[in-house]
Amino acid sequence: MNFEGYQLEGDATLYRLPDGSLGPVVTRAGQEDVQTMSSGGAVRISGVSIQHTPARKLWYGKVLNQAGFRSLPHHHGEAETGGYVLSGKARIYYGDHFAQYVDLETGDWVFVPPFLPHVECNMSTTEELTWLTTRTPENLVVNLADVLDEDLTGFRRT
C-alpha cells in the first residue's frame, strides 16, 4: 500500500476483514465478549480480543468489582498488564502472603508485571469499581489458592 508517498511496511494480511480490506473493527456496546476468564469477584468483559476481533497480540477490556468484593489471588502468566481506574477505589495486594499493597483511585494508572501474584480489591462497600485493562498477548488468568479476607490488611466486605 502507498499513501501519498508513505510506503507501509509489513504484512497485515492476517487482519483483513471478510471483504479483503483493512479497517477498524468496532465492538458495539452490548456485544462485548463476557465469556472471559474471571477470578472471584473480578468480572472481565472484553472489547478487543482474539475472541471477537482480528487482534492476536492484545486484550483490552473492562474489569468490574462489585462493592466490597475482590478477586481471587491470581497472575496473568507471561502477559504484561496495564490498568486504568475508570471509577472507584482499588487496592492491589501482592508480595509474600499478599502483605504489600498499593491503593488506586479514579484516574490512576497501574502496570502489573508478568507472573506477579496479586489480589484486586474494591475498597468501597457501597460503590462499584471499574477498571479499563489491556494485556498482551491476551487475557491470561491463572487463579491461585484463595486467602482469607482477614489476611488482607484493611480489606472488609461490608
Side-chain angles (χ1 to χ4, degrees), residues 23-158:
V25 176
V26 176
T27 301
R28 299 284 178 203
Q31 295 178 348
E32 301 91 347
D33 180 18
V34 296
Q35 302 300 315
T36 185
M37 289 293 298
S38 294
S39 42
V43 177
R44 295 179 179 87
I45 300 168
S46 170
V48 175
S49 71
I50 195 171
Q51 285 76 24
H52 55 99
T53 71
R56 297 292 179 263
K57 298 178 183 177
L58 174 69
W59 186 91
Y60 183 49
K62 183 167 49 173
V63 181
L64 307 170
N65 292 80
Q66 296 298 319
F69 280 86
R70 65 175 176 87
S71 71
L72 293 170
H74 65 282
H75 66 80
H76 299 288
E78 67 188 56
E80 293 183 341
T81 299
Y84 176 77
V85 181
L86 193 59
S87 64
K89 294 183 184 283
R91 178 172 285 177
I92 299 175
Y93 292 92
Y94 64 98
D96 194 30
H97 301 286
F98 301 102
Q100 296 174 275
Y101 60 85
V102 294
D103 289 327
L104 302 101
E105 56 188 44
T106 301
D108 289 343
W109 300 83
V110 65
F111 170 72
V112 179
F115 300 104
L116 177 70
H118 61 283
V119 177
E120 302 156 4
C121 298
N122 183 345
M123 296 305 285
S124 172
T125 58
T126 59
E127 303 292 325
E128 183 176 76
L129 168 64
T130 304
W131 307 80
L132 294 179
T133 302
T134 190
R135 197 167 282 127
T136 184
E138 196 190 330
N139 186 39
L140 304 172
V141 179
V142 179
N143 288 320
L144 305 171
D146 204 0
V147 295
L148 299 173
D149 286 351
E150 49 269 17
D151 291 339
L152 299 172
T153 303
F155 178 71
R156 59 185 170 75
R157 289 185 186 267
T158 57

